[in-house]
Amino acid sequence: MESILLYWLMIFGFGGILWLWERRTPLRQIEYNSEFFKELSKVSITVPYGIFGDLFLSAIIFNLFIFPANIIESTGFLSLPLWVRLLTAYLGRELTYYIIHRLQHSNMFFWLTHHWHHSSPSVWWLVAQRVSFTSMVLYRISFIWFPLLKIPPEIILIVMAHLAFQDNWIHLNVKWQSWMKIIEWIYVTPRFHSIHHYDMRGKNLGDTLTIFDRLFGTYLDPDTYDLKEDQSASNNEPITVRMVVGI
């Protein structure tokens, strides 16, 4: 429970720090003074069921992986150095996230779990937490690689801190910088992910790495995309309870 609460504290801590950059050099003008409290009211729904979802997964879903855990242990993979297992877990988590995210944009049933996240007309750091309950559960499943490969709790905590930072970082409403293109050979940046929100074709689906978008044909180079000043990131549909739950 402590690690779950710490994760959410990191989410808002990193978000608050990154917001200073966002307000200084915004990509698009947003009335933050009014939008902040509107978005915070939506996030206040997300946090409680996010904590519940984490507890649910810890208590129930992780037990379903006893069999694959035994298979992995029988292969001798767990005897490999920690850095090999950590890299494998990280790549496994990223690939699993990519598959889930791609399904959400290519399958109508899975889209229902993701619709709420794309319901905001503008993209900025706090919008990152506009996630339905079912979508949150799906994404948390991708994290199973770390306990499966026996990554120590203290290392998992560092990974959680990185993911908390990343969630806010990629949703920042900041002007595109030339150095972002260099980073994007490997790592997801705000401009890389903003294309995902403003382009409705399901492009740039990676969470932390761009490799799987490049490998599987969903990469869209921001340099080739003309983002209009008044372009919306949503269809401005009314928010419903079903959308928030993700069903």
Side-chain angles (χ1 to χ4, degrees):
M1 182 63 177
E2 291 81 3
S3 62
I4 294 172
L5 292 175
L6 180 59
Y7 171 78
W8 284 97
L9 286 174
M10 289 188 292
I11 283 283
F12 289 103
F14 288 135
I17 294 171
L18 289 168
W19 198 21
L20 298 175
W21 177 23
E22 181 173 283
R23 298 196 67 162
R24 185 176 180 182
T25 59
L27 173 66
R28 316 186 80 177
Q29 294 302 317
I30 297 174
E31 294 296 329
Y32 287 117
N33 291 337
S34 59
E35 289 299 319
F36 176 77
F37 291 102
K38 291 179 183 178
E39 198 61 42
L40 190 63
S41 66
K42 298 177 178 66
V43 174
S44 66
I45 303 171
T46 306
V47 174
Y49 70 56
I51 293 174
F52 171 78
D54 286 331
L55 292 173
F56 173 77
L57 286 170
S58 298
I60 305 297
I61 295 181
F62 282 0
N63 291 329
L64 300 177
F65 286 82
I66 294 176
F67 177 67
N70 290 337
I71 293 178
I72 292 174
E73 190 166 2
S74 67
T75 64
F77 191 85
L78 297 180
S79 63
L80 293 176
L82 175 60
W83 72 267
V84 175
R85 289 182 285 120
L86 178 59
L87 179 60
T88 303
Y90 193 92
L91 290 174
R93 183 261 170 194
E94 180 69 16
L95 177 58
T96 305
Y97 177 96
Y98 174 87
I99 292 170
I100 292 170
H101 200 185
R102 185 161 184 171
L103 282 171
Q104 288 177 318
H105 283 271
S106 60
N107 179 277
M108 182 55 66
F109 172 77
F110 281 96
W111 169 248
L112 295 177
T113 71
H114 194 47
H115 193 182
W116 193 37
H117 183 64
H118 284 269
S119 63
S120 174
S122 299
V123 182
W124 58 290
W125 78 269
L126 195 54
V127 169
Q129 307 315 317
R130 192 187 285 206
V131 183
S132 74
F133 175 74
T134 53
S135 186
M136 186 169 291
V137 169
L138 287 172
Y139 290 153
R140 292 297 194 269
I141 292 175
S142 68
F143 200 75
I144 194 63
W145 288 93
F146 293 91
L148 272 178
L149 297 180
K150 304 296 184 183
I151 305 301
E154 59 272 19
I155 302 297
I156 291 179
L157 189 60
I158 295 173
V159 173
M160 287 174 59
H162 168 237
L163 295 178
F165 173 86
Q166 180 71 4
D167 205 20
N168 292 305
W169 151 260
I170 64 176
H171 288 91
L172 284 180
N173 174 48
V174 292
K175 290 181 179 178
W176 296 356
Q177 305 293 332
S178 57
W179 54 263
M180 291 182 182
K181 182 176 179 63
I182 300 173
I183 294 176
E184 284 163 11
W185 281 104
I186 299 175
Y187 199 64
V188 175
T189 69
R191 76 169 202 153
F192 180 93
H193 190 72
S194 64
I195 293 299
H196 170 71
H197 279 266
Y198 289 107
D199 187 282
M200 303 297 181
R201 295 173 293 174
K203 299 294 184 178
N204 295 4
L205 299 163
D207 185 36
T208 62
L209 303 175
T210 64
I211 181 175
F212 296 115
D213 282 295
R214 296 176 185 276
L215 284 174
F216 301 129
T218 52
Y219 171 70
L220 178 58
D221 187 347
D223 284 344
T224 66
Y225 189 81
D226 182 20
L227 180 60
K228 303 295 191 297
E229 182 65 30
D230 59 347
Q231 190 169 333
S232 176
S234 76
N235 293 323
N236 298 316
E237 298 177 54
I239 296 174
T240 64
V241 174
R242 286 188 61 187
M243 190 184 293
V244 175
V245 177
I247 56 175

PDB file of all heavy atoms in Angstrom, residues 133-149:
ATOM      1  N   PHE A 133     -10.921   3.105 -15.636  1.00  0.00           N
ATOM      2  CA  PHE A 133     -10.577   2.011 -14.721  1.00  0.00           C
ATOM      3  C   PHE A 133     -10.073   0.792 -15.488  1.00  0.00           C
ATOM      4  O   PHE A 133      -9.040   0.213 -15.133  1.00  0.00           O
ATOM      5  CB  PHE A 133     -11.790   1.623 -13.880  1.00  0.00           C
ATOM      6  CG  PHE A 133     -11.546   0.429 -13.005  1.00  0.00           C
ATOM      7  CD1 PHE A 133     -10.764   0.532 -11.868  1.00  0.00           C
ATOM      8  CD2 PHE A 133     -12.072  -0.808 -13.329  1.00  0.00           C
ATOM      9  CE1 PHE A 133     -10.513  -0.571 -11.064  1.00  0.00           C
ATOM     10  CE2 PHE A 133     -11.830  -1.921 -12.532  1.00  0.00           C
ATOM     11  CZ  PHE A 133     -11.058  -1.799 -11.393  1.00  0.00           C
ATOM     12  N   THR A 134     -10.783   0.406 -16.546  1.00  0.00           N
ATOM     13  CA  THR A 134     -10.378  -0.795 -17.293  1.00  0.00           C
ATOM     14  C   THR A 134      -9.034  -0.593 -17.982  1.00  0.00           C
ATOM     15  O   THR A 134      -8.224  -1.518 -18.057  1.00  0.00           O
ATOM     16  CB  THR A 134     -11.439  -1.169 -18.336  1.00  0.00           C
ATOM     17  OG1 THR A 134     -11.729  -0.021 -19.148  1.00  0.00           O
ATOM     18  CG2 THR A 134     -12.714  -1.657 -17.670  1.00  0.00           C
ATOM     19  N   SER A 135      -8.787   0.624 -18.470  1.00  0.00           N
ATOM     20  CA  SER A 135      -7.506   0.902 -19.110  1.00  0.00           C
ATOM     21  C   SER A 135      -6.377   0.833 -18.095  1.00  0.00           C
ATOM     22  O   SER A 135      -5.299   0.300 -18.386  1.00  0.00           O
ATOM     23  CB  SER A 135      -7.537   2.292 -19.754  1.00  0.00           C
ATOM     24  OG  SER A 135      -6.369   2.548 -20.496  1.00  0.00           O
ATOM     25  N   MET A 136      -6.611   1.340 -16.901  1.00  0.00           N
ATOM     26  CA  MET A 136      -5.591   1.311 -15.867  1.00  0.00           C
ATOM     27  C   MET A 136      -5.230  -0.133 -15.493  1.00  0.00           C
ATOM     28  O   MET A 136      -4.058  -0.470 -15.329  1.00  0.00           O
ATOM     29  CB  MET A 136      -6.074   2.069 -14.631  1.00  0.00           C
ATOM     30  CG  MET A 136      -5.031   2.214 -13.544  1.00  0.00           C
ATOM     31  SD  MET A 136      -5.549   3.368 -12.268  1.00  0.00           S
ATOM     32  CE  MET A 136      -5.493   4.915 -13.161  1.00  0.00           C
ATOM     33  N   VAL A 137      -6.242  -0.984 -15.401  1.00  0.00           N
ATOM     34  CA  VAL A 137      -5.991  -2.391 -15.078  1.00  0.00           C
ATOM     35  C   VAL A 137      -5.165  -3.038 -16.185  1.00  0.00           C
ATOM     36  O   VAL A 137      -4.202  -3.774 -15.919  1.00  0.00           O
ATOM     37  CB  VAL A 137      -7.314  -3.151 -14.872  1.00  0.00           C
ATOM     38  CG1 VAL A 137      -7.067  -4.654 -14.798  1.00  0.00           C
ATOM     39  CG2 VAL A 137      -8.009  -2.677 -13.597  1.00  0.00           C
ATOM     40  N   LEU A 138      -5.509  -2.781 -17.439  1.00  0.00           N
ATOM     41  CA  LEU A 138      -4.766  -3.350 -18.571  1.00  0.00           C
ATOM     42  C   LEU A 138      -3.302  -2.927 -18.545  1.00  0.00           C
ATOM     43  O   LEU A 138      -2.399  -3.745 -18.731  1.00  0.00           O
ATOM     44  CB  LEU A 138      -5.410  -2.917 -19.888  1.00  0.00           C
ATOM     45  CG  LEU A 138      -6.736  -3.578 -20.255  1.00  0.00           C
ATOM     46  CD1 LEU A 138      -7.338  -2.903 -21.486  1.00  0.00           C
ATOM     47  CD2 LEU A 138      -6.555  -5.065 -20.518  1.00  0.00           C
ATOM     48  N   TYR A 139      -3.057  -1.637 -18.310  1.00  0.00           N
ATOM     49  CA  TYR A 139      -1.682  -1.147 -18.296  1.00  0.00           C
ATOM     50  C   TYR A 139      -0.893  -1.710 -17.119  1.00  0.00           C
ATOM     51  O   TYR A 139       0.307  -1.984 -17.232  1.00  0.00           O
ATOM     52  CB  TYR A 139      -1.663   0.378 -18.243  1.00  0.00           C
ATOM     53  CG  TYR A 139      -2.124   1.050 -19.513  1.00  0.00           C
ATOM     54  CD1 TYR A 139      -2.685   2.320 -19.491  1.00  0.00           C
ATOM     55  CD2 TYR A 139      -1.996   0.415 -20.750  1.00  0.00           C
ATOM     56  CE1 TYR A 139      -3.105   2.941 -20.652  1.00  0.00           C
ATOM     57  CE2 TYR A 139      -2.414   1.026 -21.910  1.00  0.00           C
ATOM     58  CZ  TYR A 139      -2.964   2.288 -21.867  1.00  0.00           C
ATOM     59  OH  TYR A 139      -3.375   2.893 -23.028  1.00  0.00           O
ATOM     60  N   ARG A 140      -1.535  -1.877 -15.986  1.00  0.00           N
ATOM     61  CA  ARG A 140      -0.837  -2.419 -14.818  1.00  0.00           C
ATOM     62  C   ARG A 140      -0.394  -3.859 -15.063  1.00  0.00           C
ATOM     63  O   ARG A 140       0.634  -4.301 -14.545  1.00  0.00           O
ATOM     64  CB  ARG A 140      -1.739  -2.367 -13.579  1.00  0.00           C
ATOM     65  CG  ARG A 140      -2.047  -0.966 -13.056  1.00  0.00           C
ATOM     66  CD  ARG A 140      -0.800  -0.238 -12.597  1.00  0.00           C
ATOM     67  NE  ARG A 140      -1.115   0.940 -11.815  1.00  0.00           N
ATOM     68  CZ  ARG A 140      -1.281   2.162 -12.306  1.00  0.00           C
ATOM     69  NH1 ARG A 140      -1.161   2.367 -13.608  1.00  0.00           N
ATOM     70  NH2 ARG A 140      -1.570   3.172 -11.505  1.00  0.00           N
ATOM     71  N   ILE A 141      -1.159  -4.601 -15.861  1.00  0.00           N
ATOM     72  CA  ILE A 141      -0.787  -5.985 -16.175  1.00  0.00           C
ATOM     73  C   ILE A 141       0.568  -6.029 -16.873  1.00  0.00           C
ATOM     74  O   ILE A 141       1.362  -6.948 -16.666  1.00  0.00           O
ATOM     75  CB  ILE A 141      -1.870  -6.651 -17.048  1.00  0.00           C
ATOM     76  CG1 ILE A 141      -3.153  -6.847 -16.233  1.00  0.00           C
ATOM     77  CG2 ILE A 141      -1.383  -8.000 -17.581  1.00  0.00           C
ATOM     78  CD1 ILE A 141      -4.313  -7.389 -17.044  1.00  0.00           C
ATOM     79  N   SER A 142       0.873  -5.015 -17.690  1.00  0.00           N
ATOM     80  CA  SER A 142       2.144  -5.009 -18.410  1.00  0.00           C
ATOM     81  C   SER A 142       3.339  -4.937 -17.466  1.00  0.00           C
ATOM     82  O   SER A 142       4.461  -5.291 -17.847  1.00  0.00           O
ATOM     83  CB  SER A 142       2.188  -3.823 -19.388  1.00  0.00           C
ATOM     84  OG  SER A 142       2.246  -2.585 -18.700  1.00  0.00           O
ATOM     85  N   PHE A 143       3.108  -4.513 -16.242  1.00  0.00           N
ATOM     86  CA  PHE A 143       4.180  -4.372 -15.259  1.00  0.00           C
ATOM     87  C   PHE A 143       4.587  -5.715 -14.638  1.00  0.00           C
ATOM     88  O   PHE A 143       5.578  -5.801 -13.920  1.00  0.00           O
ATOM     89  CB  PHE A 143       3.725  -3.415 -14.152  1.00  0.00           C
ATOM     90  CG  PHE A 143       4.846  -2.815 -13.355  1.00  0.00           C
ATOM     91  CD1 PHE A 143       5.635  -1.813 -13.886  1.00  0.00           C
ATOM     92  CD2 PHE A 143       5.129  -3.253 -12.072  1.00  0.00           C
ATOM     93  CE1 PHE A 143       6.681  -1.255 -13.162  1.00  0.00           C
ATOM     94  CE2 PHE A 143       6.158  -2.707 -11.338  1.00  0.00           C
ATOM     95  CZ  PHE A 143       6.940  -1.702 -11.886  1.00  0.00           C
ATOM     96  N   ILE A 144       3.833  -6.773 -14.950  1.00  0.00           N
ATOM     97  CA  ILE A 144       4.044  -8.081 -14.320  1.00  0.00           C
ATOM     98  C   ILE A 144       5.426  -8.651 -14.605  1.00  0.00           C
ATOM     99  O   ILE A 144       5.930  -9.514 -13.871  1.00  0.00           O
ATOM    100  CB  ILE A 144       2.954  -9.076 -14.792  1.00  0.00           C
ATOM    101  CG1 ILE A 144       2.927 -10.332 -13.915  1.00  0.00           C
ATOM    102  CG2 ILE A 144       3.166  -9.454 -16.254  1.00  0.00           C
ATOM    103  CD1 ILE A 144       2.562 -10.052 -12.486  1.00  0.00           C
ATOM    104  N   TRP A 145       6.082  -8.183 -15.661  1.00  0.00           N
ATOM    105  CA  TRP A 145       7.404  -8.691 -16.016  1.00  0.00           C
ATOM    106  C   TRP A 145       8.419  -8.503 -14.892  1.00  0.00           C
ATOM    107  O   TRP A 145       9.330  -9.336 -14.743  1.00  0.00           O
ATOM    108  CB  TRP A 145       7.910  -7.981 -17.277  1.00  0.00           C
ATOM    109  CG  TRP A 145       7.207  -8.408 -18.513  1.00  0.00           C
ATOM    110  CD1 TRP A 145       6.111  -7.815 -19.089  1.00  0.00           C
ATOM    111  CD2 TRP A 145       7.515  -9.545 -19.326  1.00  0.00           C
ATOM    112  NE1 TRP A 145       5.721  -8.495 -20.222  1.00  0.00           N
ATOM    113  CE2 TRP A 145       6.577  -9.554 -20.394  1.00  0.00           C
ATOM    114  CE3 TRP A 145       8.494 -10.532 -19.277  1.00  0.00           C
ATOM    115  CZ2 TRP A 145       6.595 -10.538 -21.388  1.00  0.00           C
ATOM    116  CZ3 TRP A 145       8.519 -11.499 -20.261  1.00  0.00           C
ATOM    117  CH2 TRP A 145       7.569 -11.505 -21.301  1.00  0.00           C
ATOM    118  N   PHE A 146       8.283  -7.479 -14.108  1.00  0.00           N
ATOM    119  CA  PHE A 146       9.276  -7.203 -13.072  1.00  0.00           C
ATOM    120  C   PHE A 146       9.226  -8.217 -11.933  1.00  0.00           C
ATOM    121  O   PHE A 146      10.262  -8.788 -11.585  1.00  0.00           O
ATOM    122  CB  PHE A 146       9.125  -5.763 -12.577  1.00  0.00           C
ATOM    123  CG  PHE A 146       9.482  -4.757 -13.632  1.00  0.00           C
ATOM    124  CD1 PHE A 146       8.521  -4.249 -14.486  1.00  0.00           C
ATOM    125  CD2 PHE A 146      10.798  -4.350 -13.805  1.00  0.00           C
ATOM    126  CE1 PHE A 146       8.854  -3.345 -15.483  1.00  0.00           C
ATOM    127  CE2 PHE A 146      11.149  -3.451 -14.792  1.00  0.00           C
ATOM    128  CZ  PHE A 146      10.179  -2.951 -15.640  1.00  0.00           C
ATOM    129  N   PRO A 147       8.050  -8.489 -11.348  1.00  0.00           N
ATOM    130  CA  PRO A 147       8.031  -9.558 -10.336  1.00  0.00           C
ATOM    131  C   PRO A 147       8.296 -10.942 -10.933  1.00  0.00           C
ATOM    132  O   PRO A 147       8.883 -11.804 -10.273  1.00  0.00           O
ATOM    133  CB  PRO A 147       6.628  -9.462  -9.723  1.00  0.00           C
ATOM    134  CG  PRO A 147       5.815  -8.702 -10.706  1.00  0.00           C
ATOM    135  CD  PRO A 147       6.762  -7.775 -11.394  1.00  0.00           C
ATOM    136  N   LEU A 148       7.869 -11.162 -12.186  1.00  0.00           N
ATOM    137  CA  LEU A 148       8.115 -12.452 -12.827  1.00  0.00           C
ATOM    138  C   LEU A 148       9.602 -12.754 -12.926  1.00  0.00           C
ATOM    139  O   LEU A 148      10.034 -13.896 -12.750  1.00  0.00           O
ATOM    140  CB  LEU A 148       7.497 -12.486 -14.226  1.00  0.00           C
ATOM    141  CG  LEU A 148       6.046 -12.931 -14.386  1.00  0.00           C
ATOM    142  CD1 LEU A 148       5.633 -12.849 -15.844  1.00  0.00           C
ATOM    143  CD2 LEU A 148       5.826 -14.325 -13.844  1.00  0.00           C
ATOM    144  N   LEU A 149      10.397 -11.725 -13.217  1.00  0.00           N
ATOM    145  CA  LEU A 149      11.837 -11.912 -13.384  1.00  0.00           C
ATOM    146  C   LEU A 149      12.608 -11.593 -12.106  1.00  0.00           C
ATOM    147  O   LEU A 149      13.825 -11.384 -12.147  1.00  0.00           O
ATOM    148  CB  LEU A 149      12.337 -11.063 -14.554  1.00  0.00           C
ATOM    149  CG  LEU A 149      11.746 -11.442 -15.922  1.00  0.00           C
ATOM    150  CD1 LEU A 149      12.302 -10.554 -17.021  1.00  0.00           C
ATOM    151  CD2 LEU A 149      12.009 -12.912 -16.247  1.00  0.00           C
TER     152      LEU A 149
END
